[in-house]
Amino acid sequence: DTLEKATYNPRPDPRYAYIAPMFRQAKDIAWQYLTRYAAPFQPKVSESELSVILQAFPNRPKITLYGADNPDAFRGMYFDGVVLDEFGNMKLSVWKEVLLPALVDRRGWATFMGTPNGPNHFRDMHYDSLENLEWHNSFLPATDIHKAGKFYQGTQVIALEELQMMQRIMDEEQYQQEMLCNFEASVRGAIYARQIEEIENADKVPIQTAEG
């Protein structure tokens, strides 16, 4: 997606960033993909700084991989777009204090993605984006689910027999979190958490009687 956006950006010297929680993660996760899919665009590849420059375009867009564990590496820069992978495992200040100002001058975009991991700023952003039409929200469970009166189509990327095996091995909360994108499932020990979630998913509200 970042490469595609870079190919039709008319601004001079476009700059993009893919950011993982740690620099080593960024290399392990995305470097192979970046170099492979940049190949048709005559890339100038720098493995020392994990960047590619798309020389097929006169404005030479540049895409660089970073780690949120070292925000000084991109402090003071400008970006036309940034991708924050596993945003919930980063400090919120990386976005608000460093990246947001870096996007303003170029009216850039940001993508936040990751797996739910309980109450954190990624969960807050997910719920806020459902109410804010300025954001696009993609909710991608492994299989079809109904949640809070809505139907969400599963990605079907993982074979059904593999999912069934995982469901047998994992705790219910672990499976709900990792495969069904459930932000509340990992709140281990929360009283009545699963029951309350079931009520919300059924679009029902409990009524408290005079007897309690």
Side-chain angles (χ1 to χ4, degrees), residues 66-130:
Y66 296 99
D69 53 336
N70 182 22
D72 290 337
F74 45 84
R75 190 181 296 274
M77 296 185 180
Y78 71 85
F79 293 110
D80 295 78
V82 296
V83 176
L84 294 91
D85 196 356
E86 295 297 352
F87 177 58
N89 294 333
M90 305 178 190
K91 292 182 179 178
L92 183 57
S93 59
V94 171
W95 160 242
K96 289 190 173 183
E97 298 176 13
V98 183
L99 292 173
L100 181 58
L103 291 167
V104 170
D105 287 345
R106 306 280 283 198
R107 298 181 63 85
W109 53 265
T111 297
F112 304 85
M113 57 187 181
T115 303
N117 189 21
N120 57 28
H121 45 273
F122 182 46
R123 185 187 72 161
D124 295 341
M125 181 169 287
H126 165 71
Y127 286 128
D128 289 345
S129 69
L130 296 175

Side-chain angles (χ1 to χ4, degrees), residues 66-201:
Y66 296 99
D69 53 336
N70 182 22
D72 290 337
F74 45 84
R75 190 181 296 274
M77 296 185 180
Y78 71 85
F79 293 110
D80 295 78
V82 296
V83 176
L84 294 91
D85 196 356
E86 295 297 352
F87 177 58
N89 294 333
M90 305 178 190
K91 292 182 179 178
L92 183 57
S93 59
V94 171
W95 160 242
K96 289 190 173 183
E97 298 176 13
V98 183
L99 292 173
L100 181 58
L103 291 167
V104 170
D105 287 345
R106 306 280 283 198
R107 298 181 63 85
W109 53 265
T111 297
F112 304 85
M113 57 187 181
T115 303
N117 189 21
N120 57 28
H121 45 273
F122 182 46
R123 185 187 72 161
D124 295 341
M125 181 169 287
H126 165 71
Y127 286 128
D128 289 345
S129 69
L130 296 175
E131 306 297 330
N132 189 339
L133 297 180
E134 293 180 354
W135 290 95
H136 169 74
N137 184 301
S138 291
F139 184 81
L140 304 170
T143 57
D144 297 351
I145 62 171
H146 288 84
K147 183 177 178 65
K150 295 182 179 180
F151 171 75
Y152 295 93
Q153 185 173 2
T155 61
Q156 315 300 333
V157 172
I158 302 176
L160 179 59
E161 57 269 22
E162 297 293 332
L163 290 173
Q164 291 172 339
M165 179 271 294
M166 295 176 70
Q167 198 165 15
R168 289 193 301 268
I169 295 174
M170 302 169 76
D171 293 342
E172 177 64 21
E173 288 79 9
Q174 291 173 330
Y175 184 83
Q176 286 281 332
Q177 174 181 293
E178 297 297 324
M179 295 294 106
L180 301 183
C181 302
N182 190 327
F183 283 92
E184 317 308 326
S186 64
V187 188
R188 306 276 175 94
I191 300 175
Y192 301 129
R194 190 183 301 178
Q195 290 86 343
I196 292 173
E197 183 185 1
E198 290 173 355
I199 292 171
E200 291 177 344
N201 290 343

